[in-house]
């Protein structure tokens, strides 16, 4: 297998790829594919990181952020209160996100299963030759009519085939097929799969089962959180053709937005209100032009603050790109707010501020430095939350400003 590597938001040229493989890579949307003047295949990556395979080609798109921090961002976004930075294993020698997730998952799962497979009661409905549990009378009459056997029964079975184990097995099966995993990690995945021989894997594409943690299953929690991350990674599958492509990818635009939403929601708890992600609204009275701010903080059922996440670097002078400012001005106008906040993933640390001519609208720009220690990073989020709270009383044009909830 030919391995290609490219960082996020980069362009690299490679020895010419087969046309079918290049076309399959392009159709995934993970990279742009062109030819340069020297006849080489030129790949341009965007915000996706992870692995894309096409025929005998494997493309690894690597993040610029350190792997252990990116994994923390993804985990925190999925469960702010259940995820801790110290859950990470030593990933210093690993420069690939997917491999890092596999190593972390194996470590967590091995610890979880050290006490043996968790068991629990599952409700089973089936046709049986003997009466077990309760007879499902309506199903028996509808399906069997005058036939006495088999019986339609329902009973509780104490089994290892429960959601917790199904999540672990499904994640292990997904990781098993990835190339270039550390040999000991691959061997450990095979052992985990063999250990769960009586567990049913989840059907790809179906909604993941819910799990609640208590004293009986709390030792499973780190492994379950990682399993959910692995199963949530975007899967790119194409219809059968000359060359198909499949991917295991994360969109860093979405990762940054979801992390910021989760962190800001926690930081705003002392101030009350509700932080809504992807607030639905419209720019025009006819509702033909939709608007969807990343985050709107509501107090008393009315917008009190608006935040948009941008996974890119802020201008050295602390001013956001013009399209970002125009977009935020539109959000503030529709929401009836006098202050909006653009949050970038890098850039000048001191917040910038732009006051729009002939309006009372001020747009603030923030830069969250994602490679900072966790305590400092969360301190920046707390500062944003405090500013939102302080501005909330004077942010409204009028008590009943123009608000469109879609």
């Amino acid at each position: 297998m030919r391995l290609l590597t490219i960082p996020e938001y980069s362009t690299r040229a490679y020895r010419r790829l087969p046309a079918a493989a290049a076309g399959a890579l392009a159709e995934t949307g993970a990279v742009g594919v062109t030819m340069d003047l020297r006849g080489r295949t030129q790949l341009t990556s965007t915000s996706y990181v992870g692995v894309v395979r096409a025929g005998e080609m494997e493309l690894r798109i690597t993040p610029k952020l350190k792997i252990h921090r990116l994994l923390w961002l993804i985990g925190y976004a999925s469960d702010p209160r259940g995820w801790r930075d110290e859950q990470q294993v030593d990933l210093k020698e690993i420069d690939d996100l997917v491999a890092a997730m596999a190593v972390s998952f194996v470590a967590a799962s091995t610890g979880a299963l050290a006490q043996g497979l968790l068991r629990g009661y599952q409700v089973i409905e089936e046709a049986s030759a003997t009466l077990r549990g309760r007879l499902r009378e309506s199903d028996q009459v509808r399906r069997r009519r005058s036939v006495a056997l088999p019986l339609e029964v329902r009973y509780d079975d104490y089994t290892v085939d429960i959601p917790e184990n199904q999540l672990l097995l499904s994640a292990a099966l997904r990781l098993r097929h990835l190339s270039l995993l550390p040999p000991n990690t691959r061997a450990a995945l095979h052992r985990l799969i063999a250990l769960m021989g009586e567990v049913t894997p989840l059907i790809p594409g179906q909604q993941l089962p819910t799990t609640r943690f208590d004293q009986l299953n709390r030792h499973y929690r780190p492994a379950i959180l990682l399993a959910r991350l692995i199963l949530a990674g975007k899967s790119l599958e194409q219809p059968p053709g000359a060359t198909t492509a499949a991917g295991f990818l994360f969109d860093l635009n979405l990762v940054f937005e979801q992390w910021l939403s989760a962190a800001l929601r926690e930081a705003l708890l002392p101030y009350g209100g509700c932080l809504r992600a992807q607030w639905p609204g419209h720019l025009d009275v006819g509702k033909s032009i939709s608007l969807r701010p990343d985050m709107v903080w509501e107090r008393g059922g009315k917008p009190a603050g608006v935040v948009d996440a941008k996974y890119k670097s802020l201008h050295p002078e602390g001013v956001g790109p013009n399209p970002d400012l125009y977009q935020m001005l539109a959000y503030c106008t529709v929401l009836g707010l006098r202050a909006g906040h653009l949050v970038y993933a890098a850039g000048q640390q001191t917040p910038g501020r732009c006051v729009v001519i002939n309006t009372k609208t001020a747009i603030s720009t923030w830069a969250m430095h994602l490679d900072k220690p966790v305590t400092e990073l969360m301190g920046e989020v707390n500062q944003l939350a405090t500013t939102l709270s302080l501005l909330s009383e004077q942010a409204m044009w009028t008590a009943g400003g123009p608000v469109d909830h879609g």
Side-chain angles (χ1 to χ4, degrees):
M1 177 171 287
R2 183 179 172 188
L3 175 64
L4 309 176
T5 303
I6 185 173
E8 59 169 286
Y9 285 115
S10 299
T11 298
R12 283 188 178 178
Y14 305 87
R15 176 169 49 85
R16 189 166 185 168
L17 303 183
L25 287 176
E27 286 196 24
T28 66
V31 289
V33 182
T34 57
M35 298 291 292
D36 68 8
L37 296 177
R38 298 171 57 184
R40 299 176 301 178
T41 302
Q42 190 167 269
L43 302 181
T44 300
S45 60
T46 56
S47 61
Y48 284 104
V49 295
V51 179
V52 181
R53 296 183 303 277
E56 294 302 313
M57 303 291 169
E58 180 168 292
L59 175 64
R60 295 196 167 231
I61 309 172
T62 61
K64 296 177 182 177
L65 193 64
K66 291 180 180 179
I67 293 296
H68 72 87
R69 177 50 52 87
L70 177 55
L71 191 53
W72 177 80
L73 291 174
I74 297 171
Y76 187 96
S78 68
D79 189 344
R81 300 187 180 186
W83 192 269
R84 295 292 182 268
D85 197 37
E86 60 268 19
Q87 288 176 199
Q88 310 298 324
V89 297
D90 186 6
L91 303 174
K92 294 179 181 178
E93 302 301 321
I94 300 176
D95 59 358
D96 176 77
L97 173 61
V98 179
M101 295 186 76
V103 171
S104 299
F105 173 75
V106 163
S109 298
T110 301
L113 300 181
Q115 304 175 32
L117 280 177
L118 188 68
R119 290 179 174 269
Y121 285 101
Q122 288 287 89
V123 177
I124 306 296
E125 294 185 350
E126 65 178 12
S128 173
T130 58
L131 180 61
R132 183 178 180 182
R134 300 176 59 183
L135 179 67
R136 293 181 290 137
E137 297 179 0
S138 59
D139 290 333
Q140 183 72 25
V141 172
R142 185 177 67 256
R143 296 179 182 179
R144 308 300 172 188
R145 297 185 181 180
S146 59
V147 178
L149 295 175
L151 301 172
E152 297 292 335
V153 299
R154 177 190 291 111
Y155 60 92
D156 292 332
D157 188 27
Y158 191 59
T159 175
V160 297
D161 196 17
I162 57 176
E164 291 90 335
N165 292 327
Q166 291 170 356
L167 286 165
L168 297 189
L169 175 61
S170 300
L173 289 171
R174 186 171 189 192
L175 291 171
R176 179 182 63 174
H177 299 293
L178 299 175
S179 63
L180 299 181
L181 291 180
N184 56 340
T185 299
R186 186 178 300 281
L189 285 172
H190 285 292
R191 289 194 296 271
L192 288 173
I193 293 168
L195 183 63
M196 293 185 281
E198 298 180 21
V199 179
T200 304
L202 301 174
I203 299 173
Q206 78 172 25
Q207 185 175 356
L208 299 181
T210 58
T211 49
R212 294 182 179 180
F213 295 101
D214 52 31
Q215 290 186 346
L216 296 178
N217 66 356
R218 63 184 177 185
H219 62 290
Y220 261 54
R221 185 166 193 155
I224 292 296
L225 293 177
L226 281 162
R228 289 188 177 278
L229 299 187
I230 291 163
L231 296 173
K234 183 177 180 180
S235 178
L236 298 174
E237 303 292 346
Q238 294 177 307
T243 300
T244 59
F248 184 78
L249 301 168
F250 289 91
D251 184 353
L252 294 183
N253 287 325
L254 188 59
V255 168
F256 181 57
E257 177 191 326
Q258 291 179 340
W259 166 78
L260 183 60
S261 294
L264 188 57
R265 183 174 289 109
E266 290 288 306
L268 285 169
L269 286 177
Y271 306 108
C274 173
L275 186 71
R276 294 180 61 187
Q278 294 297 308
W279 188 91
H282 294 87
L283 180 64
D284 61 322
V285 175
K287 297 186 177 181
S288 61
I289 305 172
S290 62
L291 287 180
R292 197 168 287 271
D294 291 338
M295 288 154 267
V296 172
W297 185 42
E298 295 181 343
R299 300 184 77 177
K302 296 179 180 179
V306 57
V307 178
D308 223 43
K310 304 293 183 184
Y311 184 74
K312 54 187 174 184
S313 182
L314 180 60
H315 191 276
E317 296 180 359
V319 179
N322 287 355
D324 297 347
L325 296 170
Y326 301 154
Q327 183 184 47
M328 181 53 69
L329 176 59
Y331 291 162
C332 291
T333 302
V334 169
L335 292 165
L337 297 174
R338 295 197 304 187
H341 303 270
L342 292 167
V343 182
Y344 294 84
Q348 180 179 327
Q349 186 169 357
T350 304
R353 189 167 182 266
C354 169
V355 179
V356 181
I357 295 175
N358 294 328
T359 74
K360 296 180 180 180
T361 303
I363 301 173
S364 297
T365 53
W366 305 72
M368 300 289 174
H369 294 266
L370 302 180
D371 55 354
K372 279 188 172 184
V374 170
T375 53
E376 293 184 30
L377 180 59
M378 300 309 288
E380 293 179 355
V381 178
N382 288 333
Q383 183 184 356
L384 173 58
T386 300
T387 301
L388 281 171
S389 176
L390 292 174
L391 293 174
S392 64
E393 295 302 325
Q394 61 261 37
M396 299 292 293
W397 285 344
T398 62
V403 175
D404 170 23
H405 287 278

